């Protein structure tokens, strides 16, 4: 299968998913569509800003930007200039209305597109960083998305990924249990749960150096996710007792100044 076909089918599914579900997300999540979070959205964004080292005047690409909540927050609170791309046309029109209402059209620009092709959409070697905030896990081919991200950043620039990774226990029975729940997540959220080793491999193949891979320094408040899933009848555990099938991590890596 051609590389484009590997991701395009999945990207089309994701576009249709958010076009259909965005209103439901709005009703529960507001403008930051992230499941792993402290209860307070400002606290989440303050944490991410610290993690990425957000600074006044930085130019950042938000790959999989939703309706522009994080991009707008970073522009408003940290003086960052953000270009966002999302595969969903519905999200783009909502994002643009929101940015306009905030008077931030000169600082935040959002367009429809596939982050697997963003290397030909934005100027290469220009950006301070690329963000994937709970977006890379939708990818049909994460290595391609990472390759495109690496093209966009300047030497010293970063790629930051916030997502979850399937656990790998040491016995087949546990593995089957985990796989079943992850399959449900993938189907119900149009996801394609990431593999940690493959992700690290893809980053390093692009010459990026790992700055850190770590657990988040806040406690996950499951209230919002719980509200979303119970309101819309989403049952990822298929009626079985809940457990933790995946690990949430933040990864930051850097394009070295000298190769
Ligand atoms: C869970 S939402 C997160 C949105 C946003 N990062 C936030 O924090 O509010 C996932 C986002 O990834 C985007 N996405 C998924 N696959 C994509 C692709 N191939 N190209 C562009 N955007 C994509 C979706 O359209 C959606 O906006």
């Amino acid at each position: 299968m051609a590389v484009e076909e590997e991701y395009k089918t999945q990207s089309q599914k994701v576009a249709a998913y958010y076009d259909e579900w965005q209103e439901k997300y709005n009703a529960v999540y507001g403008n930051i569509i992230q499941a792993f979070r402290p209860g307070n959205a400002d606290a989440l964004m303050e944490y991410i800003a610290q993690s990425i080292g957000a600074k006044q005047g930085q130019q950042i690409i938000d790959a999989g930007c939703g309706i522009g909540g994080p991009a707008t927050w970073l522009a408003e609170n940290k003086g960052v200039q953000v270009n966002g791309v999302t595969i969903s046309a519905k999200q783009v029109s909502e994002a643009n209305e929101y940015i306009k209402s905030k008077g931030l059209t000169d600082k935040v620009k959002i367009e429809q597109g596939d982050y697997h092709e963003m290397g030909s959409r934005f100027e290469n070697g220009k950006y301070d960083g690329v963000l994937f905030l709970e977006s890379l896990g939708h990818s049909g081919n994460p290595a391609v998305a990472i390759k495109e991200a690496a093209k966009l950043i300047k030497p010293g620039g970063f790629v930051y990924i916030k997502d979850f990774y399937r656990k790998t226990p040491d016995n087949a029975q546990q593995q089957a249990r985990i796989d079943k729940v992850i399959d449900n997540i993938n189907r119900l959220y149009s996801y394609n749960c990431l593999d940690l080793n493959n992700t690290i491999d893809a980053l390093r193949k692009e010459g990026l150096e790992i700055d850190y891979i770590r657990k988040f320094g806040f406690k996950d408040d499951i209230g919002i996710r719980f509200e979303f899933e119970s309101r819309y009848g989403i049952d990822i555990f298929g009626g079985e007792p809940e457990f933790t099938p995946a690990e949430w991590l933040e990864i930051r890596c850097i394009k070295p100044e000298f190769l």
Side-chain angles (χ1 to χ4, degrees), residues 1 12 28 45 57-58 62 71 73 78 90 102 153 158-159 172 180 185 196 201 204 249 252:
M1 199 195 288
Q12 280 161 8
V28 179
M45 284 313 303
Q58 272 178 332
D62 189 358
W73 193 97
K78 302 291 168 187
K90 184 162 175 61
K102 285 276 192 180
I153 53 175
F158 67 85
V159 174
K180 198 169 138 199
I185 293 172
L196 182 57
D201 210 36
R204 299 185 79 217
L249 296 168
R252 184 181 194 267

Side-chain angles (χ1 to χ4, degrees), residues 7 10-12 14-15 17-18 22 25 30-35 44-45 48 62-71 85-89 91 111-118 131-140 145 162 189-191:
Y7 66 74
Q10 173 65 9
S11 295
Q12 280 161 8
V14 175
Y17 170 78
Y18 281 104
Q22 188 52 48
Y25 277 103
N31 58 26
I32 299 203
I33 316 166
Q34 292 180 45
L44 171 63
M45 284 313 303
I48 290 171
D62 189 358
C65 62
I67 56 168
V85 62
T86 168
I87 198 79
S88 155
Q91 287 187 334
E111 53 196 276
Q112 188 188 7
D114 192 326
Y115 58 45
H116 300 95
E117 295 163 9
M118 60 188 170
L131 305 177
F132 288 98
L133 303 175
E134 300 193 20
S135 58
L136 188 61
H138 279 295
S139 169
K162 172 179 189 274
Y189 283 98
S190 209
Y191 229 64

Side-chain angles (χ1 to χ4, degrees), residues 77-150:
N77 295 283
K78 302 291 168 187
V80 175
Q81 192 92 32
V82 189
N83 284 81
V85 62
T86 168
I87 198 79
S88 155
K90 184 162 175 61
Q91 287 187 334
V92 173
S93 63
E94 290 199 19
N96 284 332
E97 268 178 43
Y98 180 56
I99 294 159
K100 218 159 140 197
S101 76
K102 285 276 192 180
L104 287 166
T105 46
D106 55 333
K107 288 205 155 156
V108 186
K109 306 219 180 306
I110 287 188
E111 53 196 276
Q112 188 188 7
D114 192 326
Y115 58 45
H116 300 95
E117 295 163 9
M118 60 188 170
S120 35
R121 178 175 292 272
F122 301 108
E123 193 181 323
N124 289 197
K126 173 181 170 186
Y127 294 90
D128 296 290
V130 175
L131 305 177
F132 288 98
L133 303 175
E134 300 193 20
S135 58
L136 188 61
H138 279 295
S139 169
N141 191 334
V144 173
I146 286 169
K147 191 185 193 67
E148 296 295 288

Side-chain angles (χ1 to χ4, degrees), residues 131-197:
L131 305 177
F132 288 98
L133 303 175
E134 300 193 20
S135 58
L136 188 61
H138 279 295
S139 169
N141 191 334
V144 173
I146 286 169
K147 191 185 193 67
E148 296 295 288
K151 285 183 192 168
L152 299 179
I153 53 175
K154 50 170 102 149
F158 67 85
V159 174
Y160 176 82
I161 303 168
K162 172 179 189 274
D163 225 305
F164 61 90
Y165 303 85
R166 185 192 302 254
K167 285 197 167 179
T168 40
D170 65 354
N171 69 80
Q173 199 189 355
Q174 279 300 333
Q175 188 67 65
R177 211 171 147 234
I178 288 168
D179 290 348
K180 198 169 138 199
V181 175
I182 297 285
D183 284 352
N184 288 341
I185 293 172
N186 288 346
R187 183 170 43 81
L188 294 166
Y189 283 98
S190 209
Y191 229 64
N192 188 26
C193 181
L194 292 163
D195 175 274
L196 182 57
N197 293 327

